């Protein structure tokens, strides 16, 4: 019965999006243009530096960006749902229901992502086709990293969204998180391009698993000890962040002043 | 006749002044969000500089541009971005909201030049002061420290002229696409698309594009004019004498299209009260 609630919210999300088909397609075109801009830049860079492998970097960028969007770490759109519901006070009606509000928002949002996920899958397939996996271990590590990344992306979304309980408008903070994730997840430039000290610090953070590690593992290009250590660090971050965001959420609800209640 | 013209100019000037003051008062009323935006733009610039730094950690030039020249391109792009953001994006968003809610009715019935009013209704001076200055200061310092080549004064003036005309073209481009709200009601993704096209390839030098792509880009990707082409002219990499006249003609065409499509859109407006 309880799962049915979340399934229904998923279906509701799909219906809502299918009502605005033109908007949905325009959204995809917009994303594609942004990605094309990044690819054009890298093609120009590689045309002048023949020692680097252009096929590998295009494959990397396609995989890294499709993964980051698929797990919702590209624009933290789920956090926007939280921010809007809290800002407008409409979260009150959801809080009164006997459901897990965070999961309800997650499934409702997941339903609105159908076409976007298909698009991500196409980009991922092209990326893998350009630079096929070189080992079974790489594929296994790719799958593991995606699972961990999904959990971490959910935590980041809930964290940013929960901040709305204390600030009237958290969209500026959401943009800060987006900019941070854009560069330090490795979706614009591979983390291996950073100076060694900087790279070492980033690999200890929870960000590389959102793009860099899955894209690196699937190509089998760099299954090094430091990348596996980075994956283990991501698991530690996930274990630490889940209770932290639950605590923050409960504290936020306690501080929340609902209109009319 | 001359007096009529003077009156029209005076009216537009007064509107501009009042809209600027009102926008400033409105923006300062939400101080918390202003700090959030300032933090956001500062972080964007910082992470962007990290991105450029990481690229130049491995290579020496991008399309013939060294680190200092790419930083100058970034500075020009940022200046254009803040101007377009403060003047165009604020107003296209507001216009779309007013069309959707029917609030445009309030202005249609008043004796004001409507296109002028909706173009300058919200002038986000606060964003220029609070967001642009803190975010671009580190960039300006980096440009001063890393840019070694001398810039000819005539190139600088020509580049600034291209940039200003490019900003007008970019404004018209975004405004025209935004007018789809008169037909569709909801057009958030169309505005996102216009924004993405308007700032397409903001780190790509003009010389990096193929000649055919440049021709297409001049018409369909206005960011190529106000940032990439303007930087190329400033650096003296583009000394073609017809560049300025061509951009001027292009600007006039875009302004003409802007007025024509605006008049067409108004005819399609479904007033909330009728």
């Amino acid at each position: 019965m309880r799962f049915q609630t979340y399934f229904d919210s998923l279906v509701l999300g799909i219906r809502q999006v299918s009502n605005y088909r033109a908007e949905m397609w325009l959204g995809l075109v917009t994303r594609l243009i942004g990605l094309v801009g990044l690819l054009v830049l890298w093609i120009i860079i590689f045309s002048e530096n023949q020692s680097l492998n252009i096929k590998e970097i295009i494959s990397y960028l396609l995989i890294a960006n499709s993964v980051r969007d698929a797990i919702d770490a590209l624009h933290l759109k789920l956090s926007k749902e939280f921010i809007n519901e809290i800002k407008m006070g409409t979260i009150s009606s959801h809080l009164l229901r006997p459901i897990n509000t965070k999961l309800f928002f997650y499934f409702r949002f997941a339903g609105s992502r159908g076409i976007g996920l298909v698009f991500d899958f196409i980009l991922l397939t092209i990326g893998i086709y350009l630079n096929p996996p070189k080992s079974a271990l790489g594929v296994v590590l790719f799958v593991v990293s995606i699972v961990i990344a999904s959990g971490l992306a959910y935590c980041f979304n809930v964290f940013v969204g929960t901040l709305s309980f204390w600030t009237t408008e958290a969209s500026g903070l959401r943009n800060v998180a987006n900019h941070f994730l854009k560069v330090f997840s490795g979706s614009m430039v591979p983390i291996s391009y950073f100076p060694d000290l900087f790279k070492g610090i980033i690999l200890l953070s929870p960000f590389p698993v959102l793009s860099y590690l899955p894209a690196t593992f699937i190509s089998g290009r760099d299954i090094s000890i430091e990348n596996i250590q980075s994956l283990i660090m991501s698991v530690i971050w996930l274990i630490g962040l889940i209770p932290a965001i639950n605590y923050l959420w409960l504290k936020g609800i306690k501080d929340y002043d609902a209109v009319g209640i | 006749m001359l007096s009529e013209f003077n009156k029209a100019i005076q009216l537009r000037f007064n509107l501009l002044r009042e809209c600027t003051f009102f926008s400033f008062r409105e923006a300062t009323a939400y101080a918390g969000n202003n700090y959030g935006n300032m933090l956001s733009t500062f972080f964007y610039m910082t992470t962007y500089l990290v991105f450029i730094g990481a690229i130049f950690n491995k290579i020496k030039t991008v399309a013939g541009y060294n680190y200092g020249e790419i930083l100058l391109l970034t500075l020009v792009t940022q200046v254009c971005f803040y101007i377009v953001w403060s003047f165009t994006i604020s107003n296209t968003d507001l216009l779309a909201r007013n069309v959707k809610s029917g609030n445009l009715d309030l202005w249609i019935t008043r004796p004001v030049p409507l296109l002028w009013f909706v173009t300058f209704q919200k002038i986000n001076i606060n964003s220029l002061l609070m967001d642009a200055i803190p975010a671009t200061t580190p960039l300006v310092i980096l440009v001063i420290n890393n840019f070694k080549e001398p810039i000819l004064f005539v190139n600088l003036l020509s580049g600034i002229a291209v940039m200003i005309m490019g900003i007008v073209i970019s404004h018209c481009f975004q405004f025209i696409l935004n007018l789809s709200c008169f037909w569709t009601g909801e057009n958030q993704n169309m505005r996102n698309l216009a924004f993405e096209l308007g700032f397409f390839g903001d780190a790509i030098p003009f010389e990096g594009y193929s000649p055919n792509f440049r021709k297409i880009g001049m018409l369909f990707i206005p960011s190529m004019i106000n940032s990439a082409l303007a930087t190329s002219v400033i650096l003296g990499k583009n000394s073609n004498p017809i560049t300025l006249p061509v951009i001027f003609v292009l600007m006039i065409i875009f302004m003409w299209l802007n007025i024509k499509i605006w008049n067409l859109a108004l005819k399609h407006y479904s007033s909330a009260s009728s």
Side-chain angles (χ1 to χ4, degrees), chain A residues 23 26-27 29-30 33-34 37 40-41 44-45 48-49 169 172 175-176 179-180 183 188-189 192-195 198, chain B residues 33 39-40 43-44 47 50-51 54-55 57-59 61-64 186-189 192-193 196 200 203-204 208:
Chain A
E23 280 286 291
L26 279 173
V29 172
T30 304
I33 288 167
V40 169
L41 174 67
I44 292 166
I45 290 171
E48 288 185 355
N49 299 273
E169 175 61 82
N175 288 338
V176 171
H179 300 323
F180 218 78
V183 171
M188 276 179 92
V189 55
S192 55
Y193 274 59
F194 288 106
F198 206 46
Chain B
N33 195 38
L39 208 63
S40 166
F43 263 89
Y44 171 77
T47 50
V50 169
F51 166 65
I55 290 175
N57 187 39
K58 289 275 177 186
I59 57 160
T61 57
V62 175
E186 175 59 52
N187 75 337
Q188 178 64 55
N189 278 334
N192 291 346
L193 176 66
E196 197 68 53
F200 176 85
I204 303 172

Side-chain angles (χ1 to χ4, degrees), chain B:
Chain B
M1 186 70 183
L2 195 64
S3 143
E4 286 287 311
F5 179 75
N6 283 343
K7 267 186 187 171
I9 295 289
Q10 185 68 37
L11 177 64
R12 280 163 176 79
F13 178 75
N14 288 344
L15 267 175
L16 198 63
R17 193 187 55 203
E18 291 306 318
C19 288
T20 308
F21 283 138
F22 181 76
S23 304
F24 185 75
R25 281 200 295 272
E26 191 183 36
T28 47
Y30 298 101
N33 195 38
N34 290 337
Y35 290 121
N37 288 337
M38 185 172 76
L39 208 63
S40 166
T41 50
F42 182 77
F43 263 89
Y44 171 77
M45 203 60 259
T46 311
T47 50
Y48 194 81
L49 290 174
V50 169
F51 166 65
I52 293 176
I55 290 175
F56 278 90
N57 187 39
K58 289 275 177 186
I59 57 160
K60 296 280 170 243
T61 57
V62 175
Y65 283 49
N66 59 31
Y67 182 55
E69 289 170 334
I70 285 286
L71 287 176
L72 182 72
L73 169 64
T74 309
L75 181 62
V76 172
T77 306
Q78 284 304 300
V79 171
C80 293
F81 168 78
Y82 283 113
I83 294 172
V84 172
W85 180 262
S86 303
F87 287 87
T88 303
I89 308 297
S90 312
N91 285 299
T92 49
D93 281 0
L94 190 60
L95 176 63
R97 277 208 306 274
N98 283 340
V99 169
K100 193 178 170 187
S101 63
N103 278 349
L104 192 69
D105 291 8
L106 295 172
W107 303 107
I108 279 182
T109 51
R110 293 187 187 187
V112 289
L114 198 57
L115 179 57
W116 180 270
F117 180 71
V118 297
T119 303
F120 297 110
Q121 187 177 2
K122 194 171 182 180
I123 298 169
N124 211 341
I125 288 287
N126 212 47
S127 167
L128 277 176
L129 298 174
M130 290 272 293
D131 303 342
I133 294 172
T136 49
T137 302
L139 179 60
V140 172
I141 294 168
L142 272 175
V143 170
I144 292 168
N145 288 337
N146 289 280
F147 196 78
K148 307 288 180 214
E149 298 81 0
I151 293 175
L152 293 177
F153 187 65
V154 65
N155 289 344
L156 183 66
L157 282 184
S158 306
I160 291 171
V162 171
M163 191 175 93
I164 292 168
M165 289 190 284
I167 289 170
V168 174
I169 293 169
S170 186
H171 166 82
C172 294
F173 176 81
Q174 307 251 354
F175 195 87
I176 289 167
L177 286 188
N178 179 54
L179 290 177
S180 61
C181 66
F182 281 87
W183 284 270
T184 60
E186 175 59 52
N187 75 337
Q188 178 64 55
N189 278 334
M190 181 58 97
R191 274 179 283 146
N192 291 346
L193 176 66
F195 181 81
E196 197 68 53
L197 280 171
F199 292 95
F200 176 85
D202 49 7
I204 303 172
F206 191 68
E207 287 69 20
Y209 297 104
S210 68
N212 285 333
F213 202 88
R214 279 182 218 170
K215 280 175 199 157
I216 298 167
M218 300 273 265
L219 288 171
F220 297 105
I221 311 170
S223 67
M224 212 186 265
I225 300 169
N226 63 36
S227 52
L229 180 60
T231 309
S232 177
V233 172
I234 291 172
L235 291 171
K237 290 177 188 283
N238 186 319
S239 51
N240 195 332
I242 65 158
T243 302
L244 272 172
V246 166
I247 300 301
F248 181 75
V249 171
L250 209 57
M251 181 181 75
I252 299 295
I253 293 171
F254 265 96
M255 286 169 78
W256 178 78
L257 278 173
N258 198 34
I259 295 167
K260 285 287 164 196
I261 300 174
W262 165 253
N263 288 333
L264 193 68
L266 273 184
K267 282 180 189 165
H268 278 82
Y269 178 57
S270 306
S271 168
S273 56
S274 60

Side-chain angles (χ1 to χ4, degrees), chain A residues 231-252:
Chain A
L231 187 67
I232 294 166
M233 276 306 296
S234 307
V235 177
I236 296 169
W237 274 106
L238 182 61
I239 292 168
L241 276 174
I242 289 173
I245 59 150
N246 281 333
Y247 170 75
L248 201 69
W249 174 258
L250 290 173
K251 199 160 168 24

Side-chain angles (χ1 to χ4, degrees), chain A residues 60-71:
Chain A
Y60 172 87
L61 289 171
L62 288 173
I63 296 170
N65 281 282
S66 59
V67 166
R68 197 173 143 221
D69 183 61
I71 59 170

